[in-house]
């Protein structure tokens, strides 16, 4: 270098920074499973029924979906008011031994509100379902107020 200091080359793209050195990662990032790719292909094609079927098949095989994949399907089901479909996914997850997270309950609450007629009693039941599983209700307070209104929360 012109200023007398050593020139520093940029590290290769596949390296990970560590203090004072660059090192290759021990394990490369795990690629998305082919089952999840299939679910995403259905979603990209706006085929919600196909995505739901592929997700259920994946769960039935004992493969736990990522939060992103599960959330993508359940959010679309929620927007269309398909609460019973979300309940089937929840039951299948638990049947296969997977723990339910707050996000799927949020989708269920939104679906109960979007269903015609609205299933507000089922949305209220979600509070007991979450409590029974030891999940935190605070994260979903805003969702409950939106879906149920201030008087019912």
């Amino acid at each position: 270098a012109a200023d007398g200091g050593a020139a520093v080359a940029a590290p290769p793209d596949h390296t990970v920074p560590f203090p004072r050195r660059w090192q290759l990662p021990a394990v490369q990032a795990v690629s998305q499973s082919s089952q999840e790719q299939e679910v995403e292909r259905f979603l990209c094609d706006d085929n919600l029924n196909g995505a739901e079927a592929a997700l259920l098949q994946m769960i039935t095989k004992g493969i736990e979906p990522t939060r992103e994949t599960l959330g993508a399907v359940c959010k679309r089901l929620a927007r269309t008011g398909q609460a019973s479909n979300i309940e089937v996914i929840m039951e299948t997850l638990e049947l296969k031994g997977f723990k339910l997270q707050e996000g799927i309950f949020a989708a269920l609450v939104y679906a109960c509100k979007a269903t015609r007629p609205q299933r507000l009693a089922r949305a209220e039941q979600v509070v007991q379902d979450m409590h029974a599983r030891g999940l935190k209700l605070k994260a979903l307070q805003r969702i409950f107020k939106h879906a149920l209104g201030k008087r019912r929360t």
Side-chain angles (χ1 to χ4, degrees):
D3 62 339
V8 178
D13 290 338
H14 59 281
T15 60
V16 177
F18 285 95
R20 298 189 205 138
R21 68 176 197 267
W22 291 88
Q23 180 174 331
L24 292 173
V27 177
Q28 294 294 327
V30 178
S31 64
Q32 191 178 31
S33 73
S34 61
Q35 289 85 5
E36 286 191 326
Q37 289 174 353
E38 182 179 7
V39 172
E40 287 194 14
R41 273 194 299 275
F42 281 119
L43 289 174
C44 287
D45 294 339
D46 286 328
N47 183 348
L48 184 55
N49 291 335
E52 180 187 359
L55 177 69
L56 286 169
Q57 185 178 38
M58 182 177 137
I59 297 167
T60 303
K61 289 180 180 179
I63 301 167
E64 185 173 17
T66 62
R67 284 186 180 193
E68 292 80 14
T69 301
L70 183 62
V73 174
C74 289
K75 284 177 187 175
R76 291 206 187 165
L77 290 169
R79 283 188 211 125
T80 58
Q82 297 183 49
S84 59
N85 299 50
I86 295 173
E87 289 175 317
V88 168
I89 292 170
M90 293 170 78
E91 290 167 6
T92 307
L93 282 165
E94 286 192 315
L95 184 67
K96 286 298 183 176
F98 300 123
K99 185 178 176 189
L100 300 179
Q101 302 294 327
E102 287 90 351
I104 197 163
F105 287 99
L108 179 57
V109 170
Y110 273 117
C112 288
K113 180 168 175 53
T115 301
R116 296 291 176 241
Q118 292 181 340
R119 295 179 56 196
L120 298 182
R122 177 60 183 112
E124 289 174 339
Q125 180 65 40
V126 170
V127 174
Q128 284 85 25
D129 292 346
M130 289 180 67
H131 182 70
R133 289 168 178 84
L135 297 173
K136 298 190 187 308
L137 301 173
K138 188 173 184 178
L140 301 183
Q141 258 181 333
R142 193 183 87 226
I143 294 166
F144 285 122
K145 283 183 183 175
H146 171 75
L148 301 172
K150 290 182 182 178
R151 284 185 281 160
R152 293 182 80 141
T153 53

